Amino acid sequence: MQKKARPMTEQSMRSATWMSARRVQDLLKLAQKLQDDPQQEQRLAAQRCKACFYFTAMGGAAMTTQPCMSCGVDQQYSSTNTSAMCASCAESGNLCRHCGGDIGMDMGRQAWPKAYSESAP
Ligand SMILES: [Zn+2]
Ligand SMILES: [Zn+2]
């Protein structure tokens, strides 16, 4: 693959500088949020771990259906950025609804819930 040379103008260099500075700023701001958890209340209400709540996720804008990993009930999403589980399964398992991991990102967690479909008689 061959790409064309980029234009080199004062404007293009200014804009590259701005973009890079902005990327660094955004990442530092994000790091601060991950540290301080300023929206903890909203985050827990949305049943998300810090990573899934504060990282802005991009997804294609296509209506997507995916079953909850626990109860297997189909969930509807307005983009391809789907979540692992439904809200009630996430809440009862103390899990992040989006990634399906521990909501407090506890790496040492011992007790993990069984999928509802497995534990049902
Ligand atoms: Zn579920
Ligand atoms: Zn998560």
Side-chain angles (χ1 to χ4, degrees):
M1 176 178 169
Q2 169 89 36
K3 289 171 94 177
K4 275 197 262 173
R6 296 184 189 198
M8 184 171 171
T9 62
E10 191 180 315
Q11 175 58 36
S12 70
M13 289 179 284
R14 277 184 189 285
S15 119
T17 304
W18 187 83
M19 294 284 286
S20 287
R22 167 109 193 245
R23 274 160 59 206
V24 169
Q25 283 306 314
D26 286 353
L27 190 57
L28 290 173
K29 259 194 257 168
L30 179 60
Q32 193 66 51
K33 282 188 189 169
L34 290 167
Q35 199 111 70
D36 300 346
D37 199 8
Q39 290 165 273
Q40 185 182 43
E41 214 172 293
Q42 294 100 300
R43 179 174 73 73
L44 292 175
Q47 196 68 34
R48 297 275 196 282
C49 72
K50 288 197 268 185
C52 293
F53 187 82
Y54 293 113
F55 283 79
T56 5
M58 303 291 255
M63 286 297 294
T64 309
T65 302
Q66 186 180 37
C68 166
M69 73 175 190
S70 179
C71 66
V73 172
D74 272 347
Q75 307 294 309
Q76 305 272 3
Y77 301 94
S78 56
S79 81
T80 54
N81 178 37
T82 59
S83 290
M85 4 186 22
C86 72
S88 60
C89 288
E91 199 181 340
S92 69
N94 212 20
L95 297 170
C96 168
R97 183 181 177 193
H98 192 66
C99 68
D102 183 76
I103 190 140
M105 296 193 305
D106 175 8
M107 306 268 285
R109 178 166 171 173
Q110 298 294 319
W112 296 92
K114 285 241 183 310
Y116 180 75
S117 45
E118 259 175 61
S119 54

mmCIF file of all heavy atoms in Angstrom, residues 49 52 96 98-99, ligand 2:
data_model
loop_
_atom_site.group_PDB
_atom_site.id
_atom_site.type_symbol
_atom_site.label_atom_id
_atom_site.label_comp_id
_atom_site.label_asym_id
_atom_site.label_seq_id
_atom_site.Cartn_x
_atom_site.Cartn_y
_atom_site.Cartn_z
ATOM 1 N N CYS A 49 -18.565 -0.876 35.394
ATOM 2 C CA CYS A 49 -17.278 -0.702 36.067
ATOM 3 C C CYS A 49 -16.664 0.608 35.570
ATOM 4 O O CYS A 49 -17.143 1.198 34.612
ATOM 5 C CB CYS A 49 -16.350 -1.886 35.823
ATOM 6 S SG CYS A 49 -15.672 -2.022 34.159
ATOM 7 N N CYS A 52 -15.577 0.651 31.771
ATOM 8 C CA CYS A 52 -16.657 0.706 30.783
ATOM 9 C C CYS A 52 -17.445 2.002 30.855
ATOM 10 O O CYS A 52 -18.016 2.443 29.881
ATOM 11 C CB CYS A 52 -17.579 -0.491 30.931
ATOM 12 S SG CYS A 52 -16.747 -2.028 30.497
ATOM 13 N N CYS A 96 -20.316 -5.652 36.102
ATOM 14 C CA CYS A 96 -20.508 -4.556 35.158
ATOM 15 C C CYS A 96 -21.381 -5.064 34.029
ATOM 16 O O CYS A 96 -21.117 -6.104 33.440
ATOM 17 C CB CYS A 96 -19.162 -4.090 34.618
ATOM 18 S SG CYS A 96 -19.295 -2.987 33.196
ATOM 19 N N HIS A 98 -21.716 -3.901 31.130
ATOM 20 C CA HIS A 98 -21.112 -3.776 29.804
ATOM 21 C C HIS A 98 -20.083 -4.859 29.499
ATOM 22 O O HIS A 98 -20.177 -5.543 28.500
ATOM 23 C CB HIS A 98 -20.483 -2.396 29.652
ATOM 24 C CG HIS A 98 -20.092 -2.083 28.242
ATOM 25 N ND1 HIS A 98 -21.024 -1.932 27.252
ATOM 26 C CD2 HIS A 98 -18.885 -1.936 27.665
ATOM 27 C CE1 HIS A 98 -20.393 -1.689 26.110
ATOM 28 N NE2 HIS A 98 -19.098 -1.681 26.339
ATOM 29 N N CYS A 99 -19.096 -5.038 30.373
ATOM 30 C CA CYS A 99 -18.030 -5.999 30.071
ATOM 31 C C CYS A 99 -18.268 -7.355 30.728
ATOM 32 O O CYS A 99 -17.653 -8.345 30.344
ATOM 33 C CB CYS A 99 -16.656 -5.452 30.467
ATOM 34 S SG CYS A 99 -16.376 -5.266 32.237
HETATM 35 ZN ZN ZN B 2 -17.018 -3.099 32.651
#
